[in-house]
Amino acid sequence: MTTLTDGQSRVVSKRVKVDQIVRAVLIRNRVPLAVLACLFVASALIVHWLSLGIVLKTSYQTYENAQYVLYFRLLIFSLPFLVGVLGGAPLLATEYESGTFRFTQTQGVGRRRLLLVTLASYLLLLIAGSGFVSLAIGQFYRADSPVRPMPIWTIGGFFSQPLLFVAMVVACFCAGVFIGAVVRRTVAGITAAVTTLSIGALLIYVELFKKSLVFMSSSVTTNFDSFQRHAYLIADWVENGHGQRIVNGGLLSPAQFRILHVARHYTFWVQFVLASRYHNVQLLWAVIFLLIAFVAIVGAFMRLGGKDHLLVRTKESDR
């Protein structure tokens, strides 16, 4: 205690070491961290189990199990959403409700240091867990590749790749953290996270994805055999001699066969994206998700407000 000339004394809390903060964070968040770890392990095991039954063989043919593909994509897309809603949104909201941040100021910890250590602990687990699931995703696609002689572009197949899965998990978690920091209430934060992440996914599907990136890098040709091994098919259609589209791609119905028979002169067109461009676009989307995560974390830190300093309090000296 240092005595001041104005009759007051100042007590300065000692700064807590980082290893002590890490130990406290791990003890305090051991339950949610354990739940997230179990979620990733269970998801990886489920994906591995689905990869074992993705290929169906009969005495006549070998084909893809479409039901397992549906289960696989539902799992891969729901996992980042659950991490953001149940892991990210309550992270800061519960701290505000319990008064943890106010209490830490009296212990020489600082809100921003506590948040930094907490986020680092979660992000390390998320990257390791999502990476573990990505290994299972890679195994799933390797098992599925023999029954896919021609790669076909789909939005589900594009966003369920291993690299994008890790980026989506990190982005959804950080977005949930920011929403929880803004709302500062657990239930309201979870509700806001559900709404925001759902709207974000819809915007990505409708606006950003369908009108840009993949389609901007696509090409059109009439040589159907030239790209089967090194490109992803986006769409195919048939045009008559006047350049009018008369039949969309896919399996032709009897009525469509009659249209082609009447037209007599027609051209079969295909739209595709090269495999190299396809992977570059995936990398670009991964960077976009990581930028979203970075902006969300910066916003969460700014939402805390104030400087991360030691608490200084004054009181009258004993008379």
Side-chain angles (χ1 to χ4, degrees):
M1 180 180 298
T2 303
T3 305
L4 304 179
T5 57
D6 58 358
Q8 292 182 332
S9 62
R10 176 172 294 183
V11 179
V12 182
S13 301
K14 294 182 179 180
R15 183 177 289 272
V16 179
K17 295 181 180 180
V18 176
D19 59 339
Q20 295 176 323
I21 301 177
V22 172
R23 191 181 304 112
V25 167
L26 294 178
I27 293 175
R28 177 176 174 80
N29 296 277
R30 61 185 182 277
V31 174
L33 289 173
V35 170
L36 288 176
C38 293
L39 180 63
F40 285 121
V41 172
S43 300
L45 293 177
I46 293 174
V47 172
H48 174 71
W49 174 74
L50 292 175
S51 67
L52 298 178
I54 187 61
V55 177
L56 296 179
K57 296 182 180 180
T58 64
S59 57
Y60 300 100
Q61 62 178 344
T62 301
Y63 58 95
E64 180 185 64
N65 190 337
Q67 189 175 10
Y68 276 25
V69 174
L70 176 62
Y71 294 156
F72 166 76
R73 291 179 179 174
L74 286 176
L75 175 63
I76 296 305
F77 291 136
S78 62
L79 192 57
F81 185 83
L82 291 175
V83 169
V85 171
L86 302 180
L91 185 63
L92 293 185
T94 54
E95 303 292 351
Y96 279 112
E97 286 184 335
S98 62
T100 302
F101 288 131
R102 289 191 297 269
F103 176 72
T104 55
Q105 290 295 94
T106 67
Q107 307 301 312
V109 177
R111 291 178 294 179
R112 292 187 177 181
R113 283 213 305 163
L114 177 62
L115 176 59
L116 183 61
V117 173
T118 303
L119 288 178
S121 302
Y122 273 87
L123 288 177
L124 287 176
L125 174 63
L126 292 177
I127 294 174
S130 58
F132 183 62
V133 177
S134 296
L135 296 177
I137 294 175
Q139 180 186 3
F140 179 89
Y141 279 112
R142 286 192 297 271
D144 187 42
S145 59
V147 295
R148 285 181 173 269
M150 180 180 61
I152 299 177
W153 173 89
T154 60
I155 189 170
F158 183 87
F159 278 108
S160 60
Q161 297 297 320
L163 177 62
L164 285 179
F165 175 75
V166 176
M168 282 193 300
V169 169
V170 174
C172 289
F173 173 78
C174 295
V177 171
F178 173 72
I179 294 171
V182 172
V183 178
R184 299 191 178 189
R185 293 293 183 271
T186 302
V187 177
I190 292 176
T191 304
V194 170
T195 304
T196 304
L197 293 178
S198 300
I199 294 176
L202 183 62
L203 290 177
I204 290 176
Y205 176 76
V206 176
E207 298 294 334
L208 298 178
F209 190 77
K210 280 198 166 185
K211 297 181 180 179
S212 63
L213 297 182
V214 168
F215 289 92
M216 289 174 60
S217 61
S218 64
S219 304
V220 178
T221 184
T222 58
N223 189 357
F224 185 78
D225 297 326
S226 63
F227 70 95
Q228 290 188 21
R229 296 183 179 180
H230 306 288
Y232 289 81
L233 176 65
I234 295 178
D236 56 333
W237 65 92
V238 178
E239 293 181 357
N240 59 18
H242 302 287
Q244 299 174 338
R245 185 176 299 190
I246 55 178
V247 175
N248 290 324
L251 297 176
L252 298 179
S253 64
Q256 290 173 329
F257 272 117
R258 286 194 295 270
I259 293 176
L260 293 181
H261 179 72
V262 173
R264 294 184 181 276
H265 299 287
Y266 55 87
T267 305
F268 183 73
W269 292 87
V270 289
Q271 183 182 12
F272 66 96
V273 57
L274 294 175
S276 58
R277 295 181 181 177
Y278 183 86
H279 298 310
N280 290 337
V281 174
Q282 282 188 337
L283 181 61
L284 179 58
W285 269 102
V287 172
I288 291 175
F289 283 128
L290 294 179
L291 286 176
I292 293 174
F294 176 77
V295 172
I297 292 301
V298 172
F301 271 93
M302 294 179 62
R303 181 61 177 170
L304 288 178
K307 297 181 179 180
D308 190 10
H309 58 275
L310 299 179
L311 178 69
V312 178
R313 69 178 183 269
T314 61
K315 65 178 182 180
E316 293 184 0
S317 59
D318 297 334
R319 293 183 179 179

